[in-house]
Amino acid sequence: MTDPLVAKLEGRLIVSCQAYPGEPLRHPETMAQMARAAELGGAAAIRCQGLSDIAAIKGRVDIPVIGLWKEGHDGVYITPTLRHARACISAGCDVVALDATDRPRPDGRTFGETVEALQGETLVMADCACRDDVQRALDAGCAIVSTTLAGYVPGGREKTDGPDLEFLREAVALAGDVPVFCEGRIHTTADAQAAMNAGAFAIVVGTAITHPTSLTSWFARAIG
């Protein structure tokens, strides 16, 4: 049965509010303001990273917060250990997002062992790169499956220009009643509609809404 919190996100938009290291907007209060603006625009939930950002955003919005903690750049860096996950929970997130691949994790636990340890503490969103990740997430009992990592794992699926709709359809067919979110390279309203038509339970949009550096570069290249 879909958790009531997740059920409220069906057919809705989740906005990812994240800024990269060294960027002008990388400040918890700035991300909290961005999240509040997204909420006013119709976002049903916020996805964010880092303990300070999670805490600041949770204090500013009335919608669910999906939290994660990125550490490192290679291998598993999205909430890589159980310690990272529990820290996100302590910061106030309603759902914690984990890399669902089978790559080695810094603490030696498998994905399944990490999810098992979190049962009863939080809902888990599984960031998947391929069909095997989706099955791993289902076997572990995750509340949400997402296409977040499609095209970003070496040796995995090729990176598509827009959302990986083929993978989305595979995930939806495999997941059954478990909600599948489409995340990754949804850059236009047409991309968003295509993802919903392909069976997404909800969509997650980040760059096209909350990353002005990328948005500016798209326009600058278009006229340059």
Side-chain angles (χ1 to χ4, degrees), residues 63-223:
I63 52 179
V65 173
I66 300 169
L68 58 131
W69 180 357
K70 290 181 179 177
E71 187 163 85
H73 303 284
D74 301 314
V76 176
Y77 62 88
I78 296 178
T79 322
T81 70
L82 179 60
R83 176 180 66 85
H84 288 80
R86 284 184 167 148
C88 290
I89 298 168
S90 295
C93 69
D94 303 286
V95 179
V96 64
L98 305 178
D99 177 312
T101 68
D102 64 352
R103 295 176 293 180
R105 296 163 200 274
D107 62 1
R109 288 183 174 86
T110 65
F111 173 75
E113 289 169 343
T114 302
V115 175
E116 182 179 10
L118 293 170
Q119 293 296 334
E121 297 182 32
T122 190
L123 301 174
V124 174
M125 176 176 177
D127 288 349
C128 300
C130 64
R131 181 185 177 90
D132 288 346
D133 297 346
V134 174
Q135 187 60 61
R136 186 176 302 107
L138 297 174
D139 292 342
C142 293
I144 303 165
V145 169
S146 180
T147 62
T148 311
L149 292 174
Y152 294 107
V153 174
R157 300 181 65 86
E158 291 187 10
K159 188 176 181 180
T160 53
D161 290 335
D164 192 335
L165 299 179
E166 179 182 356
F167 177 40
L168 172 62
R169 294 186 185 97
E170 289 180 1
V172 169
L174 185 61
D177 293 333
V178 176
V180 177
F181 289 7
C182 184
E183 180 175 6
R185 301 179 298 280
I186 300 177
H187 290 161
T188 67
T189 54
D191 288 340
Q193 190 59 61
M196 296 307 299
N197 291 342
F201 186 90
I203 63 169
V204 182
V205 180
T207 299
I209 295 176
T210 61
H211 197 245
T213 303
S214 293
L215 291 170
T216 303
S217 71
W218 295 349
F219 282 91
R221 286 197 302 268
I223 66 172

